[in-house]
């Protein structure tokens, strides 16, 4: 039971996919469950219920990736291990900006029929612009996770704090 957290663009989903495949875990990609078509957010209770159902039905173990404060930490509370990807902001942006541009230009389908709209690239609304969202949330998310580590909120789990791409690579090599 593993929960991967970190800011948008840090590499949560990629790491979760790799670990799930390597260890035969059910990968629960939270972003893929959060939206209806046209980027409409699902009702919180419905979203939470579906996450709980996926966790309950994961016979060989599970791995989640995502933050989703609206879920009240359901995935981190149930995890035996929490992997916190905490890369420097400059690295996150070097990963996130090209990923977002490629998604826009290729019209890559993300979840359901949702695609990154071109207009989101210049939107000043962080709810629409994932780059701006990550930039604005970076420090507050880091402070929040530092608090969870220091105040015992995550004491039920082993916390692995990854601060570099090398640390991520080393984790994959070890596991």
């Amino acid at each position: 039971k593993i929960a991967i957290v970190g800011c948008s663009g840090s590499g949560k989903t990629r790491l979760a996919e790799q670990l799930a495949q390597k260890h035969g875990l059910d990968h629960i990609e939270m972003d893929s469950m959060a939206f209806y078509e046209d980027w409409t957010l699902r009702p919180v209770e419905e979203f939470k219920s579906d996450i709980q159902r996926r966790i309950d039905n994961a016979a060989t173990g599970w791995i989640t990736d995502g933050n989703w404060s609206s879920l009240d930490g359901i995935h981190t509370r149930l995890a035996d291990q929490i992997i916190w990807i905490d890369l420097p902001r400059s690295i996150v942006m070097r990963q996130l900006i090209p990923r977002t541009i490629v998604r826009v230009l290729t019209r890559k389908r993300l979840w359901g029929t949702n695609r990154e709209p071109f207009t989101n690239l210049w939107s000043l609304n962080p709810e629409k612009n994932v780059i701006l969202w990550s930039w604005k949330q970076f420090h507050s998310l880091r402070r929040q996770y530092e608090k969870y580590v220091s105040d015992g909120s995550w004491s039920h789990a082993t916390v692995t704090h990854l601060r570099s791409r090398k640390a991520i690579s080393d984790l994959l090599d070890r596991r």
Side-chain angles (χ1 to χ4, degrees):
K1 299 183 250 182
I2 303 170
I4 300 179
V5 298
C7 70
S8 296
S10 63
K12 297 180 301 294
T13 301
R14 183 173 182 176
L15 179 59
E17 288 169 345
Q18 291 170 311
L19 290 173
Q21 183 176 30
K22 192 170 184 178
H23 299 289
L25 301 173
D26 186 8
H27 176 209
I28 303 169
E29 184 183 7
M30 296 166 72
D31 285 350
S32 71
M33 299 174 69
F35 298 97
Y36 290 128
E37 294 183 11
D38 299 321
W39 295 103
T40 303
L41 280 171
R42 295 175 64 202
V44 172
E45 286 309 313
E46 181 182 304
F47 180 27
K48 195 181 218 179
S49 175
D50 283 351
I51 294 286
Q52 184 68 59
R53 188 172 5 304
R54 288 281 307 275
I55 287 172
D56 291 345
N57 293 331
T60 61
W62 50 265
I63 186 164
T64 61
D65 62 88
N67 300 303
W68 290 102
S69 60
S70 60
L71 297 176
D72 300 322
I74 187 173
H75 59 301
T76 54
R77 280 197 320 272
L78 297 172
D80 296 326
Q81 181 175 16
I82 299 169
I83 299 173
W84 171 19
I85 302 177
D86 185 22
L87 301 176
R89 186 191 263 174
S90 60
I91 292 175
V92 171
M93 289 298 127
R94 275 190 299 229
Q95 294 174 170
L96 181 59
I97 292 169
R99 180 192 84 179
T100 304
I101 291 170
V102 166
R103 285 178 173 179
V104 167
L105 295 176
T106 62
R107 304 294 300 139
K108 180 181 178 182
R109 189 168 28 178
L110 300 174
W111 309 289
T113 60
N114 293 320
R115 302 170 196 276
E116 290 273 2
F118 188 73
T119 55
N120 285 4
L121 288 177
W122 65 75
S123 175
L124 298 179
N125 179 353
E127 298 282 331
K128 293 180 181 255
N129 183 330
V130 68
I131 298 165
L132 189 55
W133 174 265
S134 184
W135 185 269
K136 287 183 158 260
Q137 295 293 314
F138 185 85
H139 290 297
S140 62
L141 201 56
R142 177 179 277 168
R143 282 191 302 274
Q144 179 182 0
Y145 292 155
E146 286 170 343
K147 179 180 175 284
Y148 291 163
V149 169
S150 66
D151 74 5
S153 294
W154 287 352
S155 63
H156 65 282
T158 301
V159 177
T160 304
H161 190 177
L162 304 174
R163 294 179 176 101
S164 68
R165 285 180 164 172
K166 177 160 181 7
I168 294 169
S169 179
D170 289 349
L171 175 77
L172 285 167
D173 289 344
R174 280 194 316 267
R175 299 189 114 234

